[in-house]
Amino acid sequence: MDRQQGSTATPKAPAGKPRLSAAGGAYRRTSSGPLPAAGGRNSSESGVSSRVRVAVRLRPRNAEEQAADADFADCVELQPELKRLKLRKNNWESDTFEFDEVLTEFSSQKRVYEVVAKPVVESVLEGYNGTVMAYGQTGTGKTFTLGRLGDEDTAARGIMVRAMEDILADITPETDTVSLSYLQLYMEMIQDLLDPVNDNIAIVEDPRTGDVSLPGATVVEVRDQKSFMDLLRIGEAHRVAANTKLNTESSRSHAILMVNVRRAVKGRSEMNVSMSAENGHSSSMMDSLRPPIVRKSKLVVVDLAGSERIDKSGSEGHTLEEAKSINLSLSSLGKCINALAESSAHVPVRDSKLTRLLKDSFGGTARTSLVVTIGPSPRHRGETTSTIMFGQRAMKVQNMVKLKEEFDYKSLCRRLDIELDKLIAENERQRKYFDDEIERITAEAQYRVAEAEKECKVSLENEKMKYHQEYLDSIKILEEKWKVHQQSPKKQIKEESTSNGDVQDLLQNEKMLRQSAEDESNDLKNQLSHWKKMEATATAEVVRLRRMLDTEASQKDKLEEEIAVLKSQLMQLSLDADETRMGLDTGDGPGKIFPGLDSLMSHSRNSQPREQSNGPKAPVAKLFEQVGLQKILSLLESEEPDVRVHAVKVVANLAAEEANQEKIVEAGGLTSLLMLLRSSEDETIRRVAAGAIANLAMNETNQDLIMAQGGVTLLSMTASDAEDPQTLRMVAGAIANLCGNDKLQTRLRGEGGIKALLGMVKCGHPDVLAQIARGIANFAKCESRAATQGNKVGRSLLVDDGALPWIVKNANNEAAPIRRHIELALCHLAQHEVNAKDIVSEGALWELVRISRDCSREDIRMLAYRTLTSSPTLQSEMRRLRIEC
């Protein structure tokens, strides 16, 4: 043991409350040495040496110590102003030890938090990992110091509650996130305190960096202090504790609270953009592809189980085994501290799961504060000495704190999605504009061509009529002149020269008119040719615009392909950090569906003749042994109705016991029961036979035989003909048991099993509805399991058969059994993305949100929460409706 006598020269941290100072846009603690400035990503490559800070806290005497040690002085003497502690050997000698802080029994919880944990919390908010741990003998106040909730007195709040208050007060909810996991290390098994079913979580170590992680632990995002307090209460309720002589409620496990803080670094991206613009290298594409920077840090709060001596704690039996496991893990931790304090080449971190989990806290990259708790009683001086020496050795351990920054590819992906939507909208707008412009130009060209053709046609007709009339007039004049010439030859001879001149003039005028008409016709033809050329030009312009649209479409397709490739790459890069989803596949077992058969047997016995009641009644089992199964089954074919009724009741009562089911099936009892369903018209026989088949259907082998012999078809026919609610309950129970078989899903649906269940809804009886809900829940669970294993693709068969509206309608049914099964079925349906659109369209999203908030069962509520947070379609719809889970 490395004991320090007298005044030692161990390094001390300045007393008092830490001060905050602004430097370079980031905050820095001046009380425990400077931290690296929040520069760039390269800052995570190097670190600054930081010693483990250790504080000692003294617990006041309890009632037992005041009575037993009334005549003895405390074994320790505190000197808080000198940060010293004196450990008495006897009345004359004592050892003196120095710590970073010495907290008396009168120190408040606020004081303890400020000197022990607040500097670590500030480092976590700056981007560094941090650890706060409590070590000491059992019953010295470790859990009080760390995990006190302070429900009755807020001043008694522990480090966990106060640390989360500071973290939530400092972050920005729009850009920063806080999530946590709450675990316990019990008997060398890591158990999830938020999900007790998850009781053996494996530790995964990165072969490249050596970092350890727990991918199987539940991770819950925290938005406010109330939800954090609720999570702490859940975890504390599941933590293992026992009553020993030293502590009435002794923790039997190491509790570990892991708080992950993710913060966006403001101002860095804008600075890089401005620098690129000054250098002339800025572009809109590079700006859009530059991811923002985030800082990821982790706060680990460890409440170690107390070390104890078996002779003092009185542990025995299972409590003794727990004490051995606790002491073994604390011993492994002590060995690692010794190796680090002595700068040993080998540190045995793999000796215990505790040391593997705290690998980063001692000798790693985290800023660590340790509070060692001791008691004043001289009877426990040996344990107090061991605790003090553990703290002294821990003060020699050096950590290399590092800032952890990385690119936020998810934000970049969202930004690229927005840019893509803008480009698509702009492309669609331009395409619509081009289409409208093409239609306008085409319409205008067609109108102009039609007008030109019409004008040309009218002009040609007018000219033709004009020249024809002139031609007729000329012929008429010539005929008149010819007549005159025939009547007056002499006059004609005299005037011949004059007439010839007139005729020549007329002919000349006729030629000029014809030439003018031809010229005008040519002009009209030229105009027509010009309009046709304009139409061809417009057509070419339309073709060019269509080619431009095709080019834009091809560019759009290429851009979408590039975005898809980029998104897949980004999702691959962030896959390791986002693998937190857990499958929660719970549900009620099939159970016996024929619980009231004994009462029916009693009723049937009372209805027998009086002369048979003289002797004692043999039980069904004794009757089975005396008469024989074959004889009982032969009575099912009796011609007397009363005999058949009693026989089928006996068979049903035998089928309720699992030991008799195989014998009944081998003797042909299943075939006889199915024959009764097919042939009997007696309501009692059909009800009891359906109940017996339901009990036989709890066995997987019997389920295959029922399907092979057309049992589902017979049950569906019975459901359609029956009106008695009890008969319908038996039929629904039988089909519900068949719904729980993964191999029969398609055949069951093909033979009308699901439609038969939905058809019985009109009965409205609560017992019938409960069996229908159980069958739908079993069917949905099997589908979910098959889809998870890759054996099923496509939409749910329940959705195809129209079961979703009824599920949504009864999701908040007043009857607890109906509501529980319906909530479980709805969660299983929503687990697969292919059903998400139907979930949204049928209004089931609101029911899922209600289940995640108000469901009385923790497992169903957590399953609904994980389903909502893991489905992209549901998340998108919730964001659109502004719903918070």
Side-chain angles (χ1 to χ4, degrees), residues 455-496:
E455 290 179 0
C456 180
K457 186 176 181 180
V458 172
S459 299
L460 288 174
E461 290 293 333
N462 292 337
E463 290 295 327
K464 183 177 179 181
M465 292 178 63
K466 175 183 176 183
Y467 291 136
H468 183 68
Q469 185 64 36
E470 289 180 354
Y471 175 74
L472 293 176
D473 293 341
S474 300
I475 295 299
K476 186 177 181 181
I477 292 172
L478 288 175
E479 288 177 351
E480 290 177 355
K481 288 182 178 181
W482 185 75
K483 289 178 181 180
V484 172
H485 178 69
Q486 291 291 332
Q487 293 175 0
S488 312
K490 294 182 179 180
K491 185 178 179 180
Q492 181 179 3
I493 294 171
K494 291 180 180 179
E495 297 178 353
E496 182 176 358

Side-chain angles (χ1 to χ4, degrees), residues 712-812:
V712 174
T713 304
L714 293 176
L715 290 171
S716 302
M717 294 172 57
T718 304
S720 62
D721 297 337
E723 297 179 357
D724 179 35
Q726 294 303 320
T727 303
L728 293 176
R729 180 172 72 89
M730 300 301 177
V731 174
I735 298 178
N737 287 342
L738 293 174
C739 287
N741 192 325
D742 296 358
K743 303 176 183 178
L744 305 180
Q745 296 274 295
T746 305
R747 292 173 58 192
L748 182 65
R749 187 244 187 172
E751 294 182 16
I754 301 303
K755 291 185 178 180
L757 277 178
L758 297 177
M760 288 184 277
V761 168
K762 60 185 179 183
C763 171
H765 195 278
D767 293 340
V768 179
L769 295 181
Q771 295 299 328
I772 295 172
R774 184 171 68 86
I776 291 177
N778 288 343
F779 197 95
K781 181 167 64 176
C782 291
E783 274 195 331
S784 175
R785 186 159 51 238
T788 303
Q789 296 172 355
N791 298 329
K792 183 185 182 304
V793 295
R795 196 169 64 165
S796 170
L797 299 180
L798 290 173
V799 177
D800 291 339
D801 283 350
L804 188 56
W806 184 80
I807 292 175
V808 175
K809 180 179 178 182
N810 289 270
N812 200 15

Side-chain angles (χ1 to χ4, degrees), residues 42 66 71 122 148 235 324 335 425 485 587 852 868:
N42 292 333
Q66 289 177 356
D71 298 331
E122 291 171 351
R148 185 77 170 186
K324 290 180 180 179
K335 291 179 181 178
H485 178 69
S852 69
L868 288 172

Side-chain angles (χ1 to χ4, degrees), residues 524-576:
L524 291 174
K525 289 180 179 179
N526 291 334
Q527 291 181 9
L528 180 60
S529 177
H530 174 69
W531 286 114
K532 288 184 178 180
K533 289 181 179 179
M534 289 184 63
E535 182 181 7
T537 303
T539 303
E541 182 69 16
V542 170
V543 173
R544 186 181 67 81
L545 291 175
R546 290 191 182 278
R547 289 177 180 174
M548 291 177 62
L549 288 176
D550 294 338
T551 304
E552 290 289 336
S554 63
Q555 292 179 355
K556 173 187 173 183
D557 294 338
K558 290 180 180 179
L559 183 59
E560 289 177 347
E561 291 177 359
E562 292 176 358
I563 293 299
V565 171
L566 182 58
K567 289 172 68 177
S568 65
Q569 293 175 352
L570 296 178
M571 292 299 294
Q572 185 64 29
L573 289 174
S574 59
L575 182 62
D576 294 335

